[in-house]
Amino acid sequence: MLTIVEKIAFVLLALASVVAAARAADRIRRVIRRGRGPLTFKHAGRRLAQAVVKAGAFLPTWRTRLAPSLLHAFVGWAFIFFLLVNLGDVLQALLPNFVFLGDGPVGIVYRLLADVLSAAALYGMVALLARRFVLRAPAFTFRPNTTVHPKARPGIRRDSAIVGGFILVHVGSRFLGDSVALAANGRDLGRPFATLVAPVWQSLAPAALTVLEHVFFWGALGTILLFIPYFLYSKHLHLFLAPINFLLKPERQSMGQLSAINFDDESVTQYGAAKVEDLEWKLVQDAYACIMCNRCQDACPAHVTGKALSPAALEINKRYFLNEHGAALAAGQPSPQGLLEFAISPEEVWACTTCGACVDICPVGNEPMRDILDLRRNLVLMESSFPDQLQTAYKGMERQGNPWNVSPESRLEWADGLSVPTVAQNPNFEMLYWVGCAPATDPRARKTARAFVQVLQAAGVNFAVLGRQERCTGDAARRSGNEFLFAQMATQNVETLNAALAGADSAQPKRRIVATCPHCLHTLMNEYGDFGGQYEVVHHTELIAELQAAGQLKTDPTRTVNVAFHDPCYLARQNNIQAAPRQALTAAGATVTELPRHGRQSFCCGAGGAQMWKEEEAGAQRVSANRFAEAQASGQTTLAVACPFCMIMLTDAATTAQSTMQVRDVAELVAESLAPTGPA
């Protein structure tokens, strides 16, 4: 029990703490609402259970850094449970003869959990502080060429020390207070760890034990009242904003799906993001939610290969800027600096491959890739500033309908000698094969298209192609920020596709589109809806696996092959298609070796985000070289891929490495496995 003076002091301190925290929280709310777009709660109810489980079990953290994740969980679970513990301690201190949750079974379980989690938190916090300050884990460092806010490097260490020290004092004081109470009142089987410490105090007089109980109470509860206002300015605000991110983030068909810009709206004067308030509100909130764990940095192919880009630094820089200028922004004033002045450099903006690894791995649901895409839109549409090499691709898409700048008249040359029907020749087709620019123009990628047609014909699929009517989907234009060009291409393609897919017999199943390129798949399936194109799109590996399962493809049982498989980013990560290519390979007699980074954690080939059409930023190595070295280390002689861009990039890497390892598309391997007799 507290004295009357202590009770008054505690209540006054609590009121001051709540008022200060409320003012800080309101400022943060107003800053976040400076971002673009409506804040909607319509998905919150459906997501609530998932968000609670994801945040409460720290599910996103377990995919990497298992040992630190476990230590973090010890601290995090204790911190969550201490919301209840602190309430109980306050009530017991203020109310005479009150025992929180009683002395029955519920109370025993409560005290046991408090005791065990206290010990776990203290152990975890000491280990985490040692990892940061003694072992100096490389994960917490930034390269000299990475843009880092001048206050961030010392600020992160200071913040970590303050928060770590607070947790040790807060939890430690509460734990030691329990041990003092046990020394005064006897053992408690519900508090095994505190019981182990209790003998330390048993030689003290009762008055001394009472003083210590009061000291440890203020150490536990007083420190948290002092810490709460600071908490909202520290990186540990993620404890509350991570669940909010999971609950309220805008609904997207895919992590890489972008929204269209209405160029006919004359009231819009800013395209993309030049300042922090130009970003979507969710991206402003990301800065406050960032845990500063640098997991996104570890996953970023640009950073891993020595480029300046760090998606973690981008979010951290935003956070320090908002802490510094938040009051002015909350009051409606414009940012004093543009994002390119404090958050990220143009070099870093153009190093991004838009692979989505940073979005996928983030444990709090942040999306730094989207910041970069908004920055690219501003650079291209507002400032006409972009790498010179992209100009060739843009002109090719504008004039010829493809970034290779190849005439549409030669769009069907890849099919010479294969009797591939066009929509005009086969208006009753069931499957429209969207070939894509690479398989239609690149000599190596053409082999994939020809092999896939061989598979379709062997299975007896009624298909057709657009031929000379087919144009680039505009993926490279959109990912490089040229939204105006993308909108033109999307509008034209939707008109062509809607005309081609219309007129099917009502008795027929809905016509589908199959694409050999994951980038085409992603754009057609996830982004053409804004332009009036709602299509059922499948990847060619999905269709092959479907045909194999239906018995429409007869393979040569004597043929076997061992392959390593590379997951394309826009297939496995952006659209969660992982099983189909493996099923197709296995059914074709292949034994598949997984690369260390596979599935959703696959490593990029380096072509995405329009990197295919420009020089790679300076770094220690090329992204494709890093990935190919991993494939070589598998010991296999064949690397299977499922994307024409991956095919081109990894083939070039193999040539540079003077390797005999062959890079083959899944369709090629399946075509080679077909029995000589043809279709089943």
Side-chain angles (χ1 to χ4, degrees):
M1 281 291 296
L2 298 179
T3 65
I4 187 65
V5 174
E6 286 178 310
K7 289 180 180 180
I8 293 172
F10 183 84
V11 171
L12 291 176
L13 182 59
L15 288 173
S17 178
V18 169
V19 169
R23 292 181 63 183
D26 183 62
R27 191 185 91 167
I28 291 170
R29 179 192 63 80
R30 285 184 285 135
V31 170
I32 292 172
R33 291 305 296 130
R34 288 294 306 277
R36 293 185 294 104
L39 176 62
T40 175
F41 293 84
K42 66 180 181 180
H43 306 297
R46 174 171 55 83
R47 295 174 177 173
L48 182 59
Q50 181 186 34
V52 169
V53 172
K54 186 182 289 187
F58 306 118
L59 291 182
T61 66
W62 299 105
R63 296 169 60 192
T64 60
R65 305 182 187 174
L66 183 58
S69 295
L70 183 61
L71 297 172
H72 173 267
F74 287 164
V75 177
W77 288 328
F79 205 87
I80 293 172
F81 191 71
F82 261 56
L83 296 174
L84 180 64
V85 170
N86 291 330
L87 172 63
D89 288 350
V90 169
L91 293 175
Q92 289 184 161
L94 297 179
L95 301 177
N97 302 316
F98 178 78
V99 178
F100 187 65
L101 297 181
D103 291 320
V106 174
I108 293 174
V109 171
Y110 159 73
R111 290 191 293 276
L112 176 63
L113 285 173
D115 186 70
V116 171
L117 287 173
S118 294
L122 293 171
Y123 172 77
M125 197 68 256
V126 169
L128 289 173
L129 289 173
R131 178 172 179 258
R132 179 179 286 274
F133 294 104
V134 180
L135 301 179
R136 296 180 180 271
F140 299 124
T141 61
F142 298 105
R143 290 203 175 89
N145 58 344
T146 296
T147 300
V148 181
H149 193 284
K151 294 184 178 180
R153 294 183 196 271
I156 293 171
R157 289 177 60 82
R158 182 182 63 249
D159 190 33
S160 297
I162 290 173
V163 174
F166 154 72
I167 292 174
L168 290 178
V169 172
H170 171 58
V171 178
S173 293
R174 205 270 175 189
F175 177 74
L176 292 176
D178 260 6
S179 71
V180 170
L182 292 175
N185 303 315
R187 297 181 59 189
D188 182 351
L189 296 178
R191 289 178 281 189
F193 289 100
T195 299
L196 291 175
V197 180
V200 173
W201 320 108
Q202 284 179 338
S203 61
L204 298 178
L209 293 176
T210 300
V211 170
L212 282 177
E213 283 192 77
H214 284 255
V215 168
F216 288 136
F217 171 85
W218 283 103
L221 275 300
T223 52
I224 200 167
L225 293 180
L226 293 173
F227 180 74
I228 285 174
Y230 173 80
F231 178 84
L232 281 84
Y233 294 94
S234 78
K235 67 177 183 177
H236 290 74
L237 183 58
H238 73 269
L239 184 68
F240 296 111
L241 282 183
I244 293 175
N245 255 359
F246 299 144
L247 277 174
L248 302 183
K249 68 185 295 185
E251 194 83 344
R252 314 189 203 281
Q253 289 178 265
S254 165
M255 70 173 70
Q257 180 190 5
L258 297 177
S259 56
I261 293 176
N262 183 5
F263 290 101
D264 295 327
D265 186 351
E266 296 182 358
S267 67
V268 178
T269 58
Q270 172 65 43
Y271 299 127
K275 296 187 174 183
V276 70
E277 59 265 37
D278 298 330
L279 293 168
E280 183 184 50
W281 68 265
K282 164 63 171 61
L283 303 183
V284 180
Q285 181 170 284
D286 284 353
Y288 289 110
C290 180
I291 193 175
M292 302 184 190
C293 64
N294 291 6
R295 278 178 165 87
C296 57
Q297 177 176 278
D298 289 349
C300 175
H303 184 270
V304 168
T305 54
K307 279 75 169 176
L309 174 61
S310 165
L314 167 61
E315 297 296 350
I316 291 167
N317 293 340
K318 286 161 54 185
R319 176 61 178 273
Y320 275 85
F321 177 84
L322 294 178
N323 279 351
E324 185 176 357
H325 301 286
L329 284 165
Q333 298 177 24
S335 294
Q337 291 178 290
L339 287 161
L340 292 176
E341 296 177 78
F342 71 86
I344 191 171
S345 68
E347 177 190 354
E348 292 165 287
V349 168
W350 292 111
C352 176
T353 67
T354 71
C355 69
C358 58
V359 179
D360 176 67
I361 204 66
C362 180
V364 295
N366 284 357
E367 303 173 291
M369 177 184 74
R370 305 186 74 83
D371 294 61
I372 291 172
L373 291 171
D374 261 354
L375 283 159
R376 287 183 176 183
R377 282 177 166 180
N378 174 72
L379 286 170
V380 174
L381 299 175
M382 302 298 293
E383 301 180 25
S384 295
S385 175
F386 50 86
D388 293 339
Q389 302 96 334
L390 288 177
Q391 189 64 58
T392 302
Y394 290 162
K395 287 180 178 178
M397 286 184 273
E398 289 170 356
R399 299 173 183 177
Q400 305 289 2
N402 65 84
W404 267 269
N405 210 19
V406 174
S407 170
E409 300 302 314
S410 60
R411 188 80 181 192
L412 203 54
E413 285 183 359
W414 65 271
D416 286 350
L418 288 180
S419 300
V420 174
T422 64
V423 169
Q425 294 166 336
N426 180 23
N428 295 319
F429 67 91
E430 296 176 2
M431 183 73 66
L432 178 66
Y433 174 26
W434 182 275
V435 182
C437 297
T441 55
D442 181 78
R444 179 63 188 88
R446 281 183 173 184
K447 295 180 180 180
T448 298
R450 293 178 67 86
F452 183 54
V453 164
Q454 184 181 348
V455 172
L456 293 176
Q457 291 174 338
V461 176
N462 179 11
F463 75 99
V465 299
L466 290 172
R468 295 173 183 173
Q469 289 183 288
E470 187 181 286
R471 298 288 185 272
C472 178
T473 61
D475 163 79
R478 171 163 265 198
R479 262 71 206 168
S480 63
N482 196 337
E483 182 68 20
F484 187 77
L485 176 57
F486 171 76
Q488 288 181 316
M489 304 194 78
T491 300
Q492 181 180 358
N493 282 331
V494 166
E495 183 179 338
T496 300
L497 284 168
N498 287 349
L501 295 170
D505 190 323
S506 60
Q508 289 182 320
K510 183 179 179 181
R511 289 173 168 175
R512 294 188 292 172
I513 300 173
V514 60
T516 44
C517 176
H519 296 262
C520 294
L521 168 94
H522 175 86
T523 307
L524 294 169
M525 181 169 65
N526 299 323
E527 299 186 329
Y528 272 20
D530 288 339
F531 299 87
Q534 298 288 345
Y535 310 120
E536 184 177 345
V537 191
V538 296
H539 189 246
H540 73 299
T541 60
E542 291 182 291
L543 182 60
I544 290 172
E546 179 184 315
L547 295 171
Q548 290 168 331
Q552 291 178 250
L553 288 172
K554 186 176 181 181
T555 58
D556 182 353
T558 64
R559 186 181 182 278
T560 59
V561 61
N562 295 320
V563 303
F565 179 66
H566 159 77
D567 287 280
C569 299
Y570 273 71
L571 195 67
R573 184 159 44 245
Q574 300 265 13
N575 290 287
N576 202 28
I577 299 173
Q578 302 172 48
R582 291 167 171 81
Q583 291 168 354
L585 288 167
T586 301
T591 299
V592 179
T593 296
E594 296 288 3
L595 300 181
R597 294 173 292 187
H598 64 274
R600 290 180 68 90
Q601 291 182 258
S602 180
F603 195 72
C604 187
C605 75
Q611 296 292 334
M612 181 81 177
W613 313 109
K614 56 180 279 296
E615 285 299 318
E616 202 167 311
E617 274 63 33
Q621 65 178 155
R622 299 182 68 84
V623 174
S624 57
N626 182 287
R627 182 55 164 171
F628 185 75
E630 185 176 15
Q632 268 190 301
S634 71
Q636 303 301 329
T637 57
T638 300
L639 175 62
V641 298
C643 170
F645 286 165
C646 296
M647 168 73 73
I648 294 168
M649 299 297 285
L650 295 173
T651 297
D652 286 349
T655 301
T656 302
Q658 298 181 333
S659 171
T660 58
M661 189 178 203
Q662 294 186 349
V663 183
R664 312 291 303 281
D665 190 89
V666 172
E668 294 180 282
L669 295 168
V670 172
E672 290 175 359
S673 76
L674 295 175
T677 54

